[in-house]
Amino acid sequence: MRPAPPALDSSAPESFAPSGSSGPAADLGAVWSRAVACRGTAPFLTFITGTGDSNTWSYRQFAQLVGLTAQRFRALGVAPGTAVHLNLASSPAFIMSWLACASLGAVTVASDPEAEVPALLRELSGTHPVLGIVGLRRRWTYRNAVSRSATPEFPVIEVSEDEPDTLAGSPLFTPGPVFGAVRRRDSAGRSGHPPRPDRLPGHRRGRRLPARVRTDPSTPGRCAEHRRRR
């Protein structure tokens, strides 16, 4: 049996109004809140899962997932003006995280999901995020970059980039362990870096996953196919 989705009812948070903040993040948060209020039951997002199932959320349903994600982010230190780094492919997790940051007035730093350690390191060291979100298939590359960055101990949430991120128990809105990168060397002088991804069993360099989300990121609810080169 498939895990049950989180309960979606009138008591679930739909969004957070950014307070004490201004700029693009606050503006997007306000646009999203108005869209949910005006188009509540209209379809917002359709996602084809890794097993081929099709899931569609209305504005109101997806807003409740965004609200739960925002609660989790806020508990981990995300606040107006702080940066959250996303190393995610096109997926519900990306959109949930992006809109949660906007609802909190935080800045989203979206990274190329195929970026290697040097590019990730430049982004992390230049933006000093308080939280990172990464897909499980990329976690070792990301951990390596985090451990070498200027802030090597910020929390990182690792997600599936698939349907489980929207279900009960999702790391995006369920309190639980998060990865916090270790320092480069411990007291005994041993390296604290995670292994290189190309040295892990089953690793395939250059593997790309197709984007499976249909939505126009500039206009909520306007569907369009987004496909990336393989």
Side-chain angles (χ1 to χ4, degrees):
M1 295 179 62
R2 291 168 54 188
L8 300 178
D9 55 42
S10 58
S11 64
E14 291 193 355
S15 63
F16 291 96
S19 58
S21 62
S22 60
D27 292 344
L28 176 59
V31 169
W32 170 243
S33 294
R34 288 197 300 269
V36 172
C38 295
R39 308 181 188 179
T41 60
F44 168 70
L45 179 70
T46 295
F47 177 69
I48 308 301
T49 71
T51 59
D53 295 328
S54 176
N55 289 339
T56 298
W57 294 269
S58 69
Y59 278 82
R60 185 170 295 120
Q61 288 173 326
F62 204 81
Q64 289 169 345
L65 297 179
V66 170
L68 293 169
T69 303
Q71 283 186 330
R72 176 79 166 127
F73 284 11
R74 187 165 61 178
L76 290 171
V78 178
T82 59
V84 176
H85 191 263
L86 307 183
N87 187 231
L88 298 171
S90 182
S91 62
F94 179 91
I95 301 174
M96 289 159 63
S97 299
W98 175 47
L99 292 173
C101 288
S103 297
L104 293 170
V107 177
T108 299
V109 181
S111 174
D112 178 357
E114 301 298 335
E116 297 296 337
V117 170
L120 291 171
L121 182 58
R122 286 193 298 271
E123 291 182 358
L124 296 172
S125 297
T127 58
H128 301 280
V130 298
L131 177 65
I133 316 292
V134 66
L136 286 171
R137 70 187 182 94
R138 297 277 297 158
R139 63 186 181 275
W140 290 115
T141 299
Y142 197 77
R143 288 185 182 192
N144 201 340
V146 170
S147 69
R148 298 170 185 269
S149 71
T151 53
E153 295 181 332
F154 69 86
V156 175
I157 297 176
E158 298 172 348
V159 299
S160 69
E161 299 176 300
D162 208 331
E163 183 185 28
D165 298 332
T166 68
L167 302 176
S170 166
L172 286 174
F173 42 74
T174 302
V178 294
F179 165 73
V182 296
R183 294 185 181 276
R184 292 197 180 105
R185 295 192 176 273
D186 61 21
S187 58
R190 294 185 294 268
S191 173
H193 292 147
R196 285 177 50 185
D198 55 358
R199 294 178 182 172
L200 296 175
H203 175 79
R204 294 169 57 191
R205 293 187 61 83
R207 180 171 178 261
R208 293 175 179 264
L209 296 183
R212 298 184 294 272
V213 173
R214 294 187 298 156
T215 187
D216 184 339
S218 62
T219 305
R222 183 177 299 171
C223 293
E225 288 291 343
H226 291 268
R227 298 190 182 276
R228 299 170 42 244
R229 296 179 181 175
R230 296 188 181 183

